[in-house]
Amino acid sequence: MFKHYLKVGFRNIIRNKFYTLINIIGLSTGMAASLILLLYVQLELSFDEFHHNKQDIYRINVQGEKSKLISAKSPFKLAPLLKETLPEIESICRVRKNELIVRKGENHIVEPGFIQTDSSFFDIFTFKFITGDPKSCLKNNNSIVITKSMAYKYFGKEDVIGETIEINLSERNYLQTITAVIDDFPTNSHIQADFILPIYTTIWSYENINRKRVYPAFESWRNNDFYTYFIFRGEINLDDYEGKITNTIKQHLGKDFGSDFQIQALNKIHLYSDHLISGVETKGNLGQIYLFGIIALLILSIAIINYIILSTTRSLVRIKEIGLRKVIGANRSNIVKQVLGESLIISFIALPISLTLAHFSLPFINQLLSKSISLDFSNPFLFPSLILICIITGIVSGSYIAFYLSSFKPIDVFRSQINLGIRGSIFQRSLIVLQLMIFIALVICSGIIYNQVRYMKNSNVLGFKKENLVSILTDNYRKTFNQKYPTFKNDLLKNPHILFVSSSFSGQPAYKTTLSYMLLRPLKMRGRIVDHWGSGGGDKLPEMPKDAKKVIIYEGNSVDYDYIEALGIKIKEGRSFDKNIFSDKKAVLVNEEFIKYYNVKNPLTEKFKFGRNYEQIIGIMKDFHTRSLTDKIKPVMYRMSHSFGPRYLRQVVIKLDGQNIQETLAFIDKTWKEYCPEAPFIYQFTDTYIDHQYKTEMNLARLIGIFALLAILIASLGLFGLSLSIAQRKTKEIVIRKTMGAKVKDIIIRLLKQFLTLTIIANIITMPLAYYLMDKWLQNFEYQVKMDYKIFLLAGISSILLCLITVSYHSAKAAITNPVQALKYE
């Protein structure tokens, strides 16, 4: 019996080659797209699953008692104290990420993948060692562990134990001896590194710690600069233990310590860290996983809907076959098995095609998402999962038509009392509407996401001109370069393609300004309590003490003359810094938000009480963005760098005219080497930096756009096949209408009308839903693009065009066919 069903199934498939081809293309494309998206979801859900101790590894987060903000970073001194006082902790380590410069021959390469950690790092985390001993590789302060790819990059071989890596920092060179080589960190690790240094390495600030000197930044319990990970010994209640850690710290530091501690399980770090004010670069997005999972189901649904619609429409051809089978004794289960068998055959034919499509598409998708998604057939769960998806797709695709056909009575079949046309099936019309709704929604969502990202990168929105703006980082060479800066600036300005040269303390022009504060609090000095103004700053604000009387928070930067002009920041009132006015060295510029937030009265005529000093505001800048558009514009204050000395010069900012850029960069490089021959020329274009900030959102929009195009392709295949089938079945009706005098135009419109009605219904339902969902998504941004009606118009027009193009061809062909030729088969 099985052999008979299989033979009949293949005969029906071969007999209807065109419709079979449409179904196979639709299903394979839908399965390939869904497979890629589901592989991405699987990758995101598998983060840190490869560690042997994954169930027992936790990270300590710090929550401010007053602000309630939670940081993934904790103090340097926390780990040794917990290890000493809490016996339940089996092993603990600190991790700090750095960007350092590595020398290779005459070249200096900026390497962002440095971490510094304790020797217990490899007791907690599982990474594959190629050479070296995980127990001792980080014991010496001048040691370093590197990955396999870095070994080949710098030495061209894998066995490099005993070789040295030269690291350049603050005009000094440090030699670190390679003690181990490990495999590259898996892409599904939330910790990523290429170089691993000991926590007490002689590099940078840790030199002071290593020499047993007190280094204030890391001696402070308010300095959260390290990730702290540990392994529990045995079973412990996490909620109780969080309180125990907090109480332990307060016993040592006193009750005034203004932070609480939270414990985060390793398997929660990647996807559940959006609420943290500091995290890791590989932080995932749970909402994006849901989104991609839904898109995968929608794309596959369109393909399945295509199959059901075409099968239902074509079933009229087989209805008499089903009737005859029932007359000669076939029961309903036999009919269901036969029809489902044909559906499963097509699904299994589509499987290898979908795998091929996914294989060739993955490199592009990986580049777009900066991921390493792969079809790993060594995974024992992959092949069974593919078979299961294939079976589910086949059964879902064929179940409706199987049960639908098997339900007819033979007498109804032979009396021709069954209507399988589009008008005769509410279910079929609903499927077409659903298919078009998915397509319309994808077009609208991708368009709005793309517009929002483009809006965030627009110079008019940013408030400054990011184009042709180059920054040179000089932080590591302050002693050599900063005293030479004035003459360096003058030499650069001799080039006609260089418009402005300036400098600043921030890490990027306008962006990466220092989040600064002035704080008034009572302080005991010489035996008495006095009000004292303190100040500070960094990437984030520390927890403010409970006794603070007044706090002034602002984005601060120290800049040179011409900085405002180089960035194209507009002055609303007053003027910019003027090198010919000596008093400007003590003056400040503020933005509109500063005036508004602190309610400054008469800003250009009266001095502003700022901390213990009075500041003269000489100009009010129009508001501009110093951070992502997900954040609100903050008060900004610019001072002259001259008022603090050359140590506040961390970058040179150069505005080009946009012509002969490569020649101008070569000129800057040459001039730089004349002043700092030992220092690498490291530069970055500001627009490139800003584009990178929104890379995730832009790639998301592009990816959704790609799948919207796939939805168009699959939906158009289905409508194309459906219109062909209907046109063929209505041949007699068309011939009679032509014979009776109907015009070709009227016949085409009549055939198109039913499809256009369904398309309009799909638009009416989808557009309000899409508007509501995208309005919710845009609320994640402090500054939002207005939803352009053109996107909704485009989605509506494209859906109508899809209908017209796919349906009108067959309608027109049927309408202009010669009646004699059309009825020749009769």
Side-chain angles (χ1 to χ4, degrees):
M1 184 63 72
F2 173 77
K3 183 179 179 181
H4 171 73
Y5 286 150
L6 194 65
K7 185 186 295 185
V8 171
F10 272 110
R11 282 178 180 175
N12 284 322
I13 289 171
I14 294 170
R15 186 181 299 120
N16 300 289
K17 297 182 181 67
F18 182 75
Y19 295 98
T20 300
L21 182 63
I22 289 177
N23 280 327
I24 289 174
I25 293 174
L27 283 177
S28 59
T29 306
M31 290 170 67
S34 302
L35 178 61
I36 290 171
L37 291 171
L38 292 175
L39 285 172
Y40 168 81
V41 172
Q42 187 271 333
L43 176 67
E44 291 293 288
L45 294 176
S46 70
F47 260 71
D48 299 309
E49 287 291 315
F50 58 90
H51 297 294
H52 293 332
N53 301 313
K54 60 187 177 184
Q55 300 297 335
D56 303 317
I57 300 175
Y58 298 88
R59 183 174 71 185
I60 300 177
N61 300 330
V62 180
Q63 181 179 32
E65 281 185 340
K66 189 175 181 181
S67 67
K68 300 303 179 183
L69 296 176
I70 305 173
S71 171
K73 295 180 180 179
S74 50
F76 177 78
K77 299 174 68 175
L78 176 64
L81 177 61
L82 295 182
K83 179 64 176 174
E84 180 183 344
T85 56
L86 300 178
E88 302 92 340
I89 293 179
E90 181 177 321
S91 189
I92 192 167
C93 75
R94 297 156 290 186
V95 176
R96 188 172 194 260
K97 190 170 178 63
N98 287 314
E99 180 179 278
L100 299 173
I101 298 173
V102 178
R103 183 169 181 172
K104 181 182 180 183
E106 297 300 318
N107 298 320
H108 292 76
I109 303 170
V110 179
E111 293 286 2
F114 274 88
I115 62 171
Q116 291 172 272
T117 186
D118 293 283
S119 58
S120 55
F121 179 77
F122 293 113
D123 295 333
I124 298 174
F125 297 104
T126 307
F127 295 102
K128 183 180 178 182
F129 272 72
I130 298 173
T131 55
D133 181 11
K135 297 292 184 184
S136 61
C137 60
L138 293 176
K139 293 290 186 182
N140 296 323
N141 294 337
N142 67 337
S143 62
I144 187 171
V145 176
I146 67 173
T147 60
K148 179 180 178 181
S149 61
M150 291 300 105
Y152 279 102
K153 178 178 179 178
Y154 285 94
F155 302 98
K157 57 182 180 179
E158 192 175 282
D159 185 12
V160 293
I161 288 185
E163 301 281 358
T164 58
I165 292 280
E166 184 177 337
I167 300 170
N168 185 283
L169 185 68
S170 299
E171 301 179 70
R172 294 183 62 181
N173 295 323
Y174 300 86
L175 290 177
Q176 301 290 126
T177 303
I178 299 173
T179 54
V181 178
I182 62 176
D183 255 347
D184 291 353
F185 278 52
T187 55
N188 59 341
S189 168
H190 86 276
I191 299 176
Q192 292 292 323
D194 295 311
F195 304 88
I196 305 173
L197 292 165
I199 197 75
Y200 291 108
T201 182
T202 53
I203 294 176
W204 204 21
S205 307
Y206 297 97
E207 182 176 1
N208 296 311
I209 299 173
N210 187 45
R211 294 178 179 178
K212 308 304 179 187
R213 297 177 183 174
V214 175
Y215 188 72
F218 299 121
E219 288 296 312
S220 171
W221 279 91
R222 297 189 185 280
N223 186 291
N224 297 329
D225 214 22
F226 296 82
Y227 302 105
T228 303
Y229 301 90
F230 64 95
I231 295 181
F232 274 138
R233 184 182 289 119
E235 296 290 333
I236 292 177
N237 186 298
L238 292 183
D239 293 333
D240 294 340
Y241 208 75
E242 287 176 351
K244 188 173 183 179
I245 291 176
T246 300
N247 292 334
T248 300
I249 301 300
K250 290 187 175 181
Q251 286 175 9
H252 285 77
L253 303 178
K255 295 181 179 179
D256 293 333
F257 182 67
S259 296
D260 293 320
F261 294 89
Q262 294 183 353
I263 299 175
Q264 187 176 25
L266 181 68
N267 61 4
K268 299 290 185 182
I269 289 177
H270 180 64
L271 293 177
Y272 297 89
S273 296
D274 284 340
H275 63 293
L276 303 178
I277 59 174
S278 61
V280 291
E281 294 177 0
T282 56
K283 186 163 58 178
N285 188 320
L286 192 61
Q288 191 165 304
I289 288 179
Y290 287 132
L291 175 64
F292 280 10
I294 291 170
I295 291 175
L297 291 175
L298 291 178
I299 294 289
L300 190 57
S301 296
I302 293 178
I304 292 173
I305 289 170
N306 264 359
Y307 187 94
I308 295 172
I309 292 172
L310 286 177
S311 299
T312 306
T313 307
R314 292 295 298 169
S315 60
L316 186 62
V317 178
R318 300 188 57 190
I319 199 69
K320 291 185 179 180
E321 173 200 337
I322 301 300
L324 284 172
R325 287 183 177 277
K326 283 197 168 187
V327 168
I328 61 175
N331 57 33
R332 188 170 186 180
S333 65
N334 297 135
I335 305 299
V336 169
K337 290 176 183 177
Q338 180 186 336
V339 178
L340 282 180
E342 293 175 17
S343 177
L344 286 169
I345 290 171
I346 291 177
S347 181
F348 274 97
I349 292 173
L351 178 61
I353 299 173
S354 66
L355 289 174
T356 304
L357 290 173
H359 173 75
F360 286 106
S361 302
L362 278 175
F364 172 74
I365 299 297
N366 285 331
Q367 185 179 10
L368 195 64
L369 294 176
S370 299
K371 298 288 183 180
S372 295
I373 307 170
S374 62
L375 277 168
D376 184 11
F377 288 100
S378 63
N379 185 338
F381 298 103
L382 180 63
F383 191 71
S385 299
L386 290 173
I387 297 298
L388 182 62
I389 291 172
C390 201
I391 291 173
I392 292 173
T393 302
I395 291 175
V396 173
S397 300
S399 58
Y400 172 73
I401 191 64
F403 289 100
Y404 184 55
L405 286 177
S406 62
S407 65
F408 298 142
K409 296 178 181 179
I411 190 170
D412 292 333
V413 171
F414 294 110
R415 285 180 177 177
S416 299
Q417 292 182 353
I418 299 170
N419 189 347
L420 293 174
I422 192 171
R423 290 184 178 275
S425 173
I426 295 175
F427 178 73
Q428 191 180 49
R429 281 180 285 171
S430 301
L431 290 179
I432 294 172
V433 170
L434 179 60
Q435 188 182 53
L436 290 169
M437 285 175 61
I438 295 171
F439 155 65
I440 294 164
L442 288 173
V443 172
I444 292 173
C445 292
S446 59
I448 292 174
I449 293 172
Y450 180 82
N451 272 4
Q452 175 64 24
V453 178
R454 189 176 62 176
Y455 172 80
M456 291 190 294
K457 298 192 300 180
N458 190 294
S459 290
N460 294 328
V461 177
L462 293 172
F464 64 93
K465 303 294 183 183
K466 62 185 175 69
E467 294 79 16
N468 302 316
L469 202 60
V470 180
S471 60
I472 306 172
L473 298 181
T474 64
D475 197 25
N476 287 335
Y477 306 96
R478 296 187 195 180
K479 294 179 183 178
T480 301
F481 175 75
N482 288 11
Q483 299 294 343
K484 302 176 182 178
Y485 165 69
T487 53
F488 174 76
K489 175 177 179 176
N490 291 333
D491 285 349
L492 288 185
L493 287 172
K494 294 175 183 178
N495 189 306
H497 297 298
I498 296 177
L499 303 179
F500 297 102
V501 178
S502 188
S503 63
S504 78
F505 181 75
S506 71
Q508 271 293 330
Y511 269 49
K512 279 196 173 181
T513 50
T514 303
L515 191 59
S516 309
Y517 66 92
M518 296 289 295
L519 175 69
L520 179 64
R521 61 180 300 197
L523 193 67
K524 189 174 182 179
M525 298 181 67
R526 297 179 182 179
R528 62 192 183 96
I529 304 296
V530 297
D531 285 343
H532 174 75
W533 279 99
S535 62
D539 292 335
K540 61 183 183 299
L541 292 176
E543 182 68 12
M544 293 299 170
K546 298 177 182 178
D547 58 359
K549 294 183 177 181
K550 187 176 182 180
V551 179
I552 299 175
I553 300 172
Y554 64 101
E555 296 277 0
N557 198 2
S558 301
V559 303
D560 187 21
Y561 300 109
D562 300 326
Y563 186 80
I564 306 301
E565 290 73 15
L567 269 64
I569 297 173
K570 294 180 180 179
I571 301 292
K572 183 181 180 182
E573 295 182 54
R575 59 178 178 81
S576 180
F577 294 118
D578 190 337
K579 62 182 177 182
N580 297 316
I581 302 176
F582 183 79
S583 61
D584 277 8
K585 292 184 178 181
K586 299 294 183 180
V588 298
L589 294 174
V590 298
N591 68 339
E592 296 172 286
E593 181 63 21
F594 190 98
I595 299 296
K596 178 183 175 182
Y597 191 83
Y598 292 111
N599 194 26
V600 182
K601 305 296 184 182
N602 306 315
L604 300 179
T605 57
E606 298 179 14
K607 288 189 176 182
F608 172 67
K609 182 69 167 67
F610 188 72
R612 66 174 69 90
N613 301 318
Y614 285 88
E615 302 288 357
Q616 179 61 61
I617 299 172
I618 62 171
I620 302 172
M621 302 175 286
K622 290 188 72 67
D623 284 338
F624 59 92
H625 288 275
T626 57
R627 297 177 186 268
S628 169
L629 265 71
T630 55
D631 298 326
K632 192 174 182 179
I633 287 178
K634 294 178 175 63
V636 175
M637 177 182 286
Y638 280 177
R639 300 173 182 270
M640 286 296 300
S641 56
H642 295 72
S643 60
F644 296 97
R647 72 189 184 92
Y648 276 80
L649 196 166
R650 296 178 64 186
Q651 70 160 348
V652 176
V653 179
I654 303 169
K655 181 69 172 182
L656 310 180
D657 65 357
Q659 300 178 11
N660 300 321
I661 290 179
Q662 293 303 320
E663 292 83 349
T664 308
L665 288 174
F667 169 78
I668 298 171
D669 184 12
K670 180 181 177 183
T671 309
W672 171 264
K673 288 178 179 176
E674 291 174 2
Y675 284 85
C676 295
E678 294 298 320
F681 175 59
I682 301 172
Y683 69 93
Q684 187 174 32
F685 280 93
T686 301
D687 54 358
T688 303
Y689 171 82
I690 293 175
D691 288 349
H692 184 74
Q693 302 305 301
Y694 303 112
K695 182 179 179 181
T696 301
E697 288 83 0
M698 181 59 79
N699 288 344
L700 175 62
R702 289 172 179 163
L703 192 62
I704 294 177
I706 289 169
F707 287 110
L709 290 175
L710 285 177
I712 294 172
L713 171 64
I714 299 170
S716 61
L717 283 173
L719 289 176
F720 185 81
L722 179 60
S723 62
L724 172 60
S725 179
I726 292 174
Q728 287 177 345
R729 287 193 293 106
K730 287 182 175 287
T731 300
K732 289 182 182 180
E733 177 187 335
I734 293 170
V735 168
I736 294 171
R737 289 184 181 277
K738 285 187 69 176
T739 305
M740 299 297 292
K743 296 180 180 179
V744 173
K745 179 183 69 173
D746 297 329
I747 295 173
I748 294 174
I749 292 174
R750 183 178 178 83
L751 292 173
L752 283 174
K753 187 177 178 181
Q754 53 190 322
F755 287 98
L756 288 174
T757 302
L758 297 178
T759 305
I760 292 169
I761 292 171
N763 277 281
I764 292 172
I765 297 173
T766 308
M767 286 186 179
L769 290 174
Y771 182 91
Y772 173 78
L773 292 174
M774 295 315 297
D775 183 62
K776 288 286 186 183
W777 180 78
L778 286 172
Q779 289 176 15
N780 294 319
F781 301 89
E782 192 69 35
Y783 301 90
Q784 308 166 4
V785 67
K786 291 182 179 179
M787 278 194 271
D788 193 348
Y789 73 92
K790 295 177 184 176
I791 296 174
F792 292 85
L793 193 61
L794 173 66
I797 292 173
S798 60
S799 63
I800 292 172
L801 286 175
L802 174 67
C803 176
L804 290 174
I805 293 171
T806 54
V807 176
S808 60
Y809 171 74
H810 296 303
S811 301
K813 185 178 179 182
I816 62 175
T817 302
N818 188 310
V820 175
Q821 293 296 324
L823 298 177
K824 193 174 183 179
Y825 69 94
E826 295 286 351

